[in-house]
Amino acid sequence: MRISDLFKKKNCLWSFEIFPPKPTADVAAVAGTVEKLAALGPDYISVTCSAGGTGNARTAEIAKLVKDCGVEPLAHVTCINSSEADISRTLSELSSLGISNVLALRGDRVEGAKESEDFRHASDLVSFIDRWGGGKFDIAGACYPEGHPESPDILTDIRNLKKKVDAGVTHLNTQLFYDNEDFFRFRDMLSLAGIDVPVQAGIMPLVKKSHVDRTIALSGAKIPAGISRMISRFYDKPEALMEAGIAYAVSQIADLLSAGVSGIHLYVMNNAYVAERITESVKHILNEVNG
């Protein structure tokens, strides 16, 4: 089923994101995670591209596991190091597996890697997928409530986002954020810019020291006072940090649901336990929102 159709049927979608194992790793470890996440009843599960510049490798393989578990997959497709021929092969593989939902991304720059001559921006990829598939694919896009880190300002970023939506994006997933007011402000700005596709709020629970370090270093997301206090108090206390991180995420999600968000997209870092705890905590609110 197309994810855009799911938005027409429900007031708020609930989804997870997972990442594939390294190219040399056994798929079995992720297969177990997929089964546990699927059992929680998400509307879909997105599958990222492989890390470290290996592009779209293994994404289709894991997306097929998701589909075999009875959940709709959203396969990430990046273009920064790909030619049109590379993307055509990726789309052909996804299509042959019956996967019709993709998240079109430029992708992260990899030092020393040659960048694409065919795709400069995600909007170029969106246009190509739309032409290539002739409407076969439902195309999602990414957005940044605090502005893309490479954009000079939020208004420029939103103008570029409008180009991506006009090229064929049917819904947007946000980068992680920890201050809901940034999301609400961003949502209002999208409305003023004429961007009326559903926007899912991306939530990444900070439940491990490694997540804290990586998020602060790489995401550029603002760290509110509440998160700072949590990190300061529990950074070297794994069990307490886990519980505090889950509690903060639940509180953040409850507020978003109360404000009529179109969806919640949980970046669970392949941790089914965290997904289960958070889903259990908000399921009654989510059910109420969806009637």
Side-chain angles (χ1 to χ4, degrees):
M1 175 177 284
R2 290 174 177 266
I3 293 173
S4 59
D5 290 334
L6 292 176
F7 279 107
K8 298 172 184 176
K9 295 181 177 182
K10 302 180 76 171
N11 293 324
C12 182
L13 298 194
W14 183 256
S15 57
F16 305 128
E17 178 172 293
I18 61 171
F19 53 85
K22 295 178 180 179
T24 56
D26 190 344
V27 75
V30 176
T33 300
V34 169
E35 291 174 1
K36 291 176 182 177
L37 292 177
L40 299 175
D43 291 295
Y44 69 88
I45 296 175
S46 76
V47 184
T48 74
C49 297
S50 302
T54 52
N56 301 312
R58 305 203 80 169
T59 300
E61 179 184 9
I62 306 304
K64 181 61 164 57
L65 289 178
V66 172
K67 195 171 185 66
D68 289 345
C69 286
V71 177
E72 198 61 44
L74 174 66
H76 292 211
V77 178
T78 62
C79 64
I80 192 167
N81 303 123
S82 300
S83 65
E84 288 189 351
D86 295 330
I87 298 300
S88 292
R89 283 191 291 271
T90 296
L91 297 176
S92 293
E93 182 179 14
L94 292 172
S95 182
S96 70
L97 296 173
I99 296 166
S100 59
N101 294 289
V102 296
L103 177 62
L105 303 162
R106 187 199 68 180
D108 296 328
R109 288 194 164 89
V110 178
E111 187 175 354
K114 182 182 178 182
E115 295 193 3
S116 176
E117 297 179 1
D118 296 326
F119 305 103
R120 291 189 60 203
H121 307 288
S123 57
D124 300 328
L125 176 61
V126 173
S127 296
F128 180 80
I129 294 173
D130 191 52
R131 291 196 309 272
W132 188 94
K136 181 183 298 184
F137 290 99
D138 213 36
I139 309 171
C143 59
Y144 297 76
E146 299 172 63
H148 193 285
E150 295 181 19
S151 182
D153 54 67
I154 187 72
L155 293 178
T156 301
D157 189 36
I158 289 177
R159 282 194 289 269
N160 290 330
L161 183 60
K162 182 69 163 59
K163 294 177 183 177
K164 189 158 56 175
V165 172
D166 289 345
V169 161
T170 59
H171 97 268
L172 295 165
N173 283 349
T174 79
Q175 169 66 285
L176 59 90
F177 61 92
Y178 294 102
D179 188 336
N180 286 357
E181 293 305 316
D182 289 328
F183 174 81
F184 298 143
R185 188 179 306 109
F186 179 69
R187 188 172 61 173
D188 290 343
M189 293 175 74
L190 295 187
S191 180
L192 289 172
I195 298 173
D196 59 358
V197 299
V199 181
Q200 277 191 266
I203 303 298
M204 180 179 167
L206 290 176
V207 296
K208 291 185 178 180
K209 183 190 295 189
S210 59
H211 296 171
V212 170
D213 294 338
R214 183 172 177 82
T215 298
I216 293 174
L218 299 180
S219 74
K222 182 172 70 182
I223 305 298
I227 287 280
S228 295
R229 286 191 293 270
M230 183 185 83
I231 293 171
S232 177
R233 182 70 176 84
F234 303 123
Y235 183 76
D236 288 315
K237 298 178 175 63
E239 291 183 4
L241 181 59
M242 172 72 73
E243 293 301 316
I246 289 173
Y248 189 94
V250 168
S251 176
Q252 190 179 5
I253 291 167
D255 182 47
L256 290 164
L257 292 174
S258 300
V261 69
S262 296
I264 302 291
H265 190 59
L266 268 184
Y267 300 110
V268 296
M269 303 300 289
N270 289 22
N271 191 323
Y273 171 76
V274 171
E276 181 178 4
R277 287 283 306 279
I278 294 175
T279 301
E280 181 65 25
S281 295
V282 304
K283 69 178 183 181
H284 295 299
I285 307 173
L286 190 61
N287 288 341
E288 181 63 30
V289 166
N290 283 319

